[in-house]
Amino acid sequence: CALISFLVCYTRIAKLETKMLAIRLPADIELRLENLAKSTGRTKTFYAREAILEYLEDMEDLFEAEKEVKQYVQGHLQQSH
């Protein structure tokens, strides 16, 4: 079940040593974040952390894919010479 996997993963993250990160947000984004937190009973920190983790995973996947494409192209070009 994805929910159980998520909860286990979140529990592991929550038990890790944490560091503080302060960010400045435009008022409209902070208000949206605050409203979401209030309506769900979660904290703004929870949603900010989740957003950062998802973004990091996406960017890591993108950079890995770009690296693999570059290696493929370089290998393909070397084979054609």
Side-chain angles (χ1 to χ4, degrees):
C1 177
L3 177 60
I4 292 172
S5 177
F6 169 78
L7 291 174
V8 170
C9 181
Y10 180 74
T11 301
R12 287 185 186 148
I13 291 170
K15 290 182 179 180
L16 296 176
E17 178 185 344
T18 59
K19 302 278 185 171
M20 175 69 84
L21 171 67
I23 59 172
R24 296 185 188 280
L25 296 173
D28 62 323
I29 294 174
E30 199 282 332
L31 181 61
R32 289 173 59 194
L33 184 59
E34 185 173 336
N35 288 337
L36 178 63
K38 284 181 182 177
S39 67
T40 62
R42 298 274 188 179
T43 64
K44 293 188 291 184
T45 298
F46 171 83
Y47 287 110
R49 182 186 312 114
E50 291 303 305
I52 291 168
L53 287 172
E54 185 172 332
Y55 184 81
L56 283 174
E57 289 172 2
D58 290 348
M59 290 297 97
E60 290 166 344
D61 289 346
L62 175 65
F63 289 128
E64 184 63 30
E66 288 175 344
K67 185 175 86 174
E68 289 177 13
V69 167
K70 184 178 178 180
Q71 290 172 347
Y72 172 80
V73 168
Q74 288 176 342
H76 186 69
L77 289 175
Q78 290 174 354
Q79 289 177 356
S80 65
H81 284 123

